[in-house]
Amino acid sequence: MPSFDIVSKIDGQTLDNAINVAKKEILNRYDFNGSKSTIDLDKKTNEITVVTEDDMRLKAITDSIISRMMKQGLDAKALDFGKEQYASGNMIRKEIKVKEGIDKEAAKKVVKKIKDSKLKVEASIMNDQVRVTAKKIDDLQAVISLCRNEDFGQPLQYINMRS
């Protein structure tokens, strides 16, 4: 039976490139001259840590990260912006989590949307992905176009198309 998987993944190397370019861009800006701002990507926990002096610089750094991700072809919906915390002295620290995998709520929304479409397909949740099976490949392609037009709060990719 033809099937495919709906997943939410970010390419680690592309994300690393985007963060490094954003870092260089920020360090070369005139308004960051003499700043102690840092941007770090922890590849194991998929977390970006930003430390800077004030809110204006924090917003400039996050905007730079988002624009670099967009230019690298990554979706900014994969970022989960936490709250700012005050680090030592007058520094502000912000931890930005990179979402990997479809969470349960988004997976339920995807399955509900597919079932409401009345297409002759079966959708099932498997860990952090959704598997869709059907008798015809055309039905699977209809599901892909249906999901592309909908916003589920995180970027989706369609992989492992088998016939």
Side-chain angles (χ1 to χ4, degrees):
M1 256 177 114
S3 68
F4 73 92
D5 297 329
I6 302 174
V7 297
S8 178
K9 293 186 180 183
I10 293 288
D11 182 32
Q13 186 61 47
T14 310
L15 178 65
D16 190 37
N17 290 343
I19 297 300
N20 286 335
V21 171
K23 215 186 280 190
K24 286 178 186 173
E25 181 180 292
I26 288 295
L27 293 177
N28 291 332
R29 281 179 49 171
Y30 178 74
D31 55 340
F32 279 85
N33 193 11
S35 172
K36 297 177 189 149
S37 302
T38 61
I39 306 169
D40 294 316
L41 172 65
D42 186 3
K43 293 179 185 175
K44 289 182 182 172
T45 60
N46 266 354
E47 202 167 76
I48 304 166
T49 306
V50 177
V51 179
T52 190
E53 286 91 5
D54 53 36
D55 288 331
M56 182 207 64
R57 288 185 175 159
L58 183 66
K59 178 154 178 38
I61 291 172
T62 55
D63 288 347
S64 176
I65 290 171
I66 290 171
S67 71
R68 285 292 141 198
M69 284 182 67
M70 295 300 226
K71 287 180 181 174
Q72 295 275 347
L74 299 174
D75 199 337
K77 288 185 218 166
L79 297 179
D80 183 20
F81 295 95
K83 290 202 168 226
E84 294 91 20
Q85 302 165 347
Y86 287 95
S88 63
N90 62 346
M91 303 295 274
I92 298 174
R93 166 193 222 115
K94 184 167 192 143
E95 293 181 354
I96 305 168
K97 290 184 173 59
V98 180
K99 296 183 216 169
E100 283 280 326
I102 302 175
D103 58 10
K104 292 289 182 196
E105 294 302 314
K108 286 178 185 177
K109 287 179 188 175
V110 170
V111 170
K112 183 175 180 349
K113 184 71 176 175
I114 292 171
K115 290 192 189 232
D116 290 347
S117 70
K118 304 285 189 225
L119 291 168
K120 293 184 180 181
V121 296
E122 279 187 40
S124 59
I125 300 172
M126 299 173 63
N127 294 335
D128 59 350
Q129 65 185 18
V130 177
R131 172 150 300 161
V132 182
T133 58
K135 291 183 179 175
K136 298 179 189 171
I137 290 183
D138 294 341
D139 292 337
L140 294 179
Q141 291 171 339
V143 169
I144 290 173
S145 67
L146 176 80
C147 290
R148 280 204 173 125
N149 294 332
E150 193 70 28
D151 181 25
F152 296 106
Q154 61 188 105
L156 300 177
Q157 291 88 32
Y158 311 95
I159 61 169
N160 295 340
M161 178 72 98
R162 296 193 178 115
S163 54

